[in-house]
Amino acid sequence: MGIWIVAAGAGVLALGLSPFAWTYLASTGRRGSVETVPHRPVAVVLGAAAWADGPSPLLARRLDLAVRLVETGKVDRVLVSGDNREVSRRETDTMTDYLVARGVPADRVTADPFGYRTWDTCVRIKGLYGVDAATMVTQSFHLPRTVSLARAAGIDAVGVGDPSLGARRRSTLIGYAREVGAAAKALKDAVLRPEPARGELTDKDG
């Protein structure tokens, strides 16, 4: 009886972790660094918390990667996607201002203000902004899920992740822990392909 209980427990654990494993398998060979990632027309920076005085530390690190991608010629432009409502402290406005202040020309930055979820961002940048190939930019713990969902949305995606563990240990560990549950939702999105929260063609005009 004990053996069967252990086997059943192992089976449940494997089933529970299978979506997490999917994110890594689906993004294998497509996660790199600024130095190794191939050229793509656009870098897509996923939104994160904005503070009253600018981007949060994790979001700033993502944006710094995008600046480096532009400076090294690995991307031609940047698309920032996040929640630009006042309640979220205008994420995409904050992201745009940060990039421009660090030398990225304003006419090379596009903002998607309705990227409420990772899947929403991927569907919107493909369908509304015509992005067929991109370098996805986020933290390393979020990167496998991001690249996998972008590919599921029909984007030829590679990704660059910020290894934030040394700089923001607590936030990074929480991020890795959250990915186990988030991966299940991601796989569901990839299979069911729900419409984003805001999908109207007029969204680009605000």
Side-chain angles (χ1 to χ4, degrees):
M1 181 64 71
I3 293 176
W4 284 109
I5 292 174
V6 172
V12 170
L13 179 62
L15 184 62
L17 291 177
S18 57
F20 185 71
W22 165 74
T23 66
Y24 276 82
L25 290 173
S27 61
T28 297
R30 290 177 173 268
R31 290 175 270 121
S33 65
V34 172
E35 293 73 27
T36 63
V37 75
H39 176 270
R40 288 292 188 273
V42 59
V44 177
V45 185
L46 281 292
W51 292 355
D53 59 349
S56 62
L58 288 185
L59 181 54
R61 293 174 68 89
R62 299 180 187 188
L63 295 165
D64 289 340
L65 284 177
V67 171
R68 290 174 57 198
L69 286 167
V70 172
E71 290 176 343
T72 57
K74 291 301 183 75
V75 301
D76 304 321
R77 59 192 180 94
V78 181
L79 192 156
V80 296
S81 181
D83 183 349
N84 206 48
R85 293 175 295 180
E86 186 64 37
V87 68
S88 297
R89 297 188 186 275
R90 301 288 182 186
E91 283 180 9
T92 54
D93 286 351
T94 299
M95 296 162 78
T96 299
D97 291 345
Y98 186 93
L99 290 171
V100 172
R102 280 150 185 80
V104 180
D107 61 0
R108 295 174 67 182
V109 181
T110 302
D112 168 28
F114 300 111
Y116 298 147
R117 302 190 306 132
T118 303
W119 173 252
D120 286 7
T121 289
C122 294
V123 173
R124 288 175 57 81
I125 65 172
K126 169 70 175 180
L128 298 179
Y129 295 87
V131 175
D132 295 314
T135 297
M136 312 301 289
V137 181
T138 183
Q139 260 69 49
S140 294
F141 60 77
H142 183 213
L143 192 62
R145 176 162 59 97
T146 300
V147 173
S148 298
L149 285 175
R151 296 189 67 201
I155 299 166
D156 178 14
V158 295
V160 173
D162 164 51
S164 54
L165 185 60
R168 309 294 297 183
R169 183 178 181 83
R170 182 175 180 274
S171 298
T172 301
L173 291 176
I174 291 172
Y176 274 111
R178 289 183 59 215
E179 283 303 303
V180 176
K185 294 181 181 179
L187 183 56
K188 181 180 178 181
D189 285 338
V191 172
L192 299 181
R193 307 181 67 80
E195 288 295 315
R198 291 289 298 270
E200 301 91 338
L201 290 177
T202 55
D203 281 354
K204 287 190 293 183
D205 300 322

